[in-house]
Amino acid sequence: MAETPYHREPGYAQRYRDERFHSGTGPRTDRRERAVLQALLAQAAATGRLTPGSWLDVPAGAGRLTAELPGPAVAVDRDAAMLQAADGLPRRACASAQALPFRDRAFAGVLCHRLLQHIPTAAERVAILRELARVARGVVIVSFFDSMTLPGLRRVVRRWAGKRRSGRSSVRRAAFLAECREAGLQPLCVRSLCRFVSEQTLVLCAPPDPA
């Protein structure tokens, strides 16, 4: 399947690393995202779903959340400049989330944060989710933009008004959970940064049963 194009101007990766979550509303968003991620990891641990071993962070970006994971992590991003910006991470690989260069069930857990909001079609999202499910033997945590929020409704109004699209896509919560199930994942818990106010929503999923 053809991937959604990804183009960023020179120097974007360094600015993203140094500025995106260090100015304006960035620090608040960063705190909320870390808190929600830790809450989902705590729930996974409390239900016996955390297993020891390496984790996959894809796309890792500049590695902001990689250290939050409960095991040694492999940081993957298809943007080589982003991986260069994540120079503090010892294990990095440049690859697409649709074609991960790892064996089946290679990781004790997988984090896929801030990717699927950039994917406009259900078919491509399911393809990515299916690949995440393939390499996971433990929980998978994925994020998406929930359309039933104030920002989501603003996007609808902007489209109706014929205004330029942002390049981000939101989807109804029920529809996204159905996409997870289609990919073989079992949604266990859904947490938003701030329900109805923030689009960013994380889902804790169980991996497919071993064949």
Side-chain angles (χ1 to χ4, degrees):
M1 175 182 294
E3 290 187 282
T4 297
Y6 177 88
H7 301 294
R8 293 293 185 270
E9 69 276 7
Y12 173 82
Q14 288 72 25
R15 289 195 301 275
Y16 184 87
R17 178 193 63 194
D18 298 337
E19 300 174 13
R20 172 63 181 86
F21 295 98
H22 298 280
S23 60
T25 61
R28 181 177 62 190
T29 298
D30 179 59
R31 288 193 300 272
R32 287 177 173 173
E33 290 185 347
R34 291 176 190 271
V36 170
L37 174 58
Q38 287 303 320
L40 292 177
L41 289 170
Q43 177 160 341
T47 55
R49 294 184 179 274
L50 280 189
T51 57
S54 295
W55 274 65
L56 175 65
D57 184 3
V58 56
R64 177 174 62 97
L65 295 181
T66 309
E68 299 288 329
L69 300 175
V74 177
V76 170
D77 203 291
R78 69 169 172 167
D79 183 354
M82 275 292 187
L83 290 175
Q84 290 174 353
D87 51 10
L89 301 178
R91 298 198 294 174
R92 293 171 283 174
C94 190
S96 164
Q98 279 198 37
L100 295 167
F102 307 109
R103 59 179 171 81
D104 294 358
R105 297 173 55 81
F107 294 99
V110 175
L111 172 65
C112 179
H113 188 56
R114 288 186 167 265
L115 170 62
L116 298 180
Q117 68 211 45
H118 298 288
I119 306 302
T121 68
E124 188 177 355
R125 289 193 297 270
V126 170
I128 292 170
L129 289 166
R130 189 171 287 124
E131 184 67 350
L132 301 179
R134 181 186 68 80
V135 301
R137 65 178 182 274
V139 295
V140 176
I141 299 175
V142 294
S143 73
F144 73 102
F145 269 13
D146 187 344
S147 64
M148 298 305 291
T149 57
L150 291 176
L153 294 176
R154 282 200 298 267
R155 292 185 193 281
V156 173
V157 172
R158 286 178 63 87
R159 286 199 296 272
W160 284 347
K163 294 184 178 180
R164 180 182 176 186
R165 299 189 64 174
S166 68
R168 298 177 181 87
S169 300
S170 58
V171 61
R172 286 177 179 267
R173 180 176 293 201
F176 183 75
L177 298 183
E179 292 172 8
C180 290
R181 295 185 186 99
E182 183 179 347
L185 295 169
Q186 176 191 353
L188 302 172
C189 181
V190 182
R191 284 184 179 251
S192 63
L193 268 60
C194 187
R195 188 73 195 275
F196 303 119
V197 175
S198 172
E199 292 176 289
Q200 193 68 261
T201 305
L202 283 75
V203 185
L204 173 69
C205 299
D209 293 330

